[in-house]
Amino acid sequence: MTPALLLAHGAGGTVRANFSPLIPQLSRKRKVHAVDFPGSGTTPRATAPLELDDLADRLVAAADGEERFAIIGFSMGCAVAMRAAQRHPERVTALVLTAGFARIDDETRARMQKWGRLLDGNPAVLARYLMSIVLGEPFHRRMTSEQAEGFLELIALTVPPGTPEQVDLVQRADLRAEAPSLTVPTLVIGTKHDRLITPSTTRALADLIPGAQWAELDSGHAPAIEAPAEWVRLIEQFLDSQAQ
């Protein structure tokens, strides 16, 4: 029987925002389960700092009785996926980690800190900043002014209330010690025009995981918007190879 799939979203995101273009195709062969982390979607905001162990256990609980499953992590969700594999090794069959990190570098940290500072300010200013770091430069350049304005409006209206805690977790997370002990088959996907998580940081993550496969998307930090067809193709190709 084909293992189910769990989806782990990124900081300041939701399952729908980060994965919705992929879900119809992924659901053709596998049951897909997901949970919005505290402060995203309809999940209540946390009253204390977020911890990876808790998010990993929340994610696994969303498997809804499935014995075994693969996990697709995006950005912060990669750290959650890796921790889930550490805590539940008998249940996780594979990992697909996109635009992830073991530990963010100083360049990314500065961007995350600015993001955090802007959360209490003008939503339009925050939206412009997020667009500048989330979209890859080639994709951003191809947008019409109408598309750009529409995207800015969407960002300003959809910032999850739990974003401060999620942004904080990204800055604290450090999986450099545990990544080399992962034994689950893993595909790491870099986003080569990423202006939030530097591509070299994602490459460093792949280098830490024994036997990890590497692939790259021609996108920035928004593959669901910039390259959804290629992203789902890479995921399915890898998962199908594990099922053989």
Side-chain angles (χ1 to χ4, degrees):
M1 189 173 186
T2 305
L5 269 183
L6 291 180
L7 307 179
H9 71 76
T14 63
V15 173
R16 182 174 179 178
N18 292 165
F19 295 109
S20 62
L22 284 66
I23 292 173
Q25 186 164 335
L26 292 174
S27 299
R28 291 175 187 170
K29 297 180 183 177
R30 305 165 179 87
K31 287 186 179 179
V32 176
H33 304 272
V35 63
D36 284 318
F37 297 130
S40 287
T42 59
T43 306
R45 187 174 178 179
T47 56
L50 298 178
E51 298 298 340
L52 278 179
D53 284 357
D54 177 60
L55 297 192
D57 291 347
R58 285 173 180 264
L59 179 66
V60 170
D64 195 26
E66 304 283 357
E67 283 188 23
R68 307 189 76 208
F69 41 79
I71 306 177
I72 301 174
F74 168 68
S75 195
M76 178 188 77
C78 295
V80 179
M82 292 166 64
R83 183 59 57 85
Q86 289 283 11
R87 291 172 68 80
H88 306 275
E90 74 289 349
R91 299 182 68 188
V92 179
T93 62
L95 295 175
V96 179
L97 309 175
T98 302
F101 56 88
R103 175 75 168 164
I104 59 172
D105 61 11
D106 291 342
E107 193 178 338
T108 297
R109 185 173 306 281
R111 292 171 181 147
M112 300 300 295
Q113 289 171 345
K114 183 172 182 179
W115 183 0
R117 290 193 302 269
L118 290 174
L119 285 168
D120 293 328
N122 186 324
V125 174
L126 172 64
R128 288 197 177 279
Y129 178 67
L130 289 177
M131 187 164 75
S132 76
I133 59 172
V134 167
L135 295 179
E137 195 273 333
F139 184 86
H140 193 175
R141 193 174 60 239
R142 291 194 300 270
M143 294 177 84
T144 66
S145 57
E146 291 80 10
Q147 288 172 328
E149 287 304 315
F151 191 67
L152 287 170
E153 270 186 49
L154 181 65
I155 295 174
L157 291 170
T158 57
V159 175
T163 300
E165 292 82 31
Q166 296 172 17
V167 167
D168 171 67
L169 177 60
V170 170
Q171 295 177 69
R172 289 185 286 112
D174 189 346
L175 294 99
R176 291 174 296 181
E178 63 192 75
S181 66
L182 283 172
T183 57
V184 63
T186 301
L187 170 66
V188 179
I189 302 175
T191 38
K192 68 180 183 179
H193 302 295
D194 205 315
R195 297 191 281 184
L196 177 58
I197 304 295
T198 53
S200 60
T201 295
T202 303
R203 179 73 236 196
L205 170 62
D207 291 342
L208 283 173
I209 301 173
Q213 296 183 35
W214 172 257
E216 209 167 34
L217 284 172
D218 191 29
S219 83
H221 199 71
I225 296 171
E226 299 180 52
E230 178 63 8
W231 192 17
V232 79
R233 187 190 70 78
L234 290 174
I235 292 169
E236 293 219 295
Q237 187 178 59
F238 174 72
L239 293 177
D240 287 347
S241 74
Q242 299 306 311
Q244 292 171 3

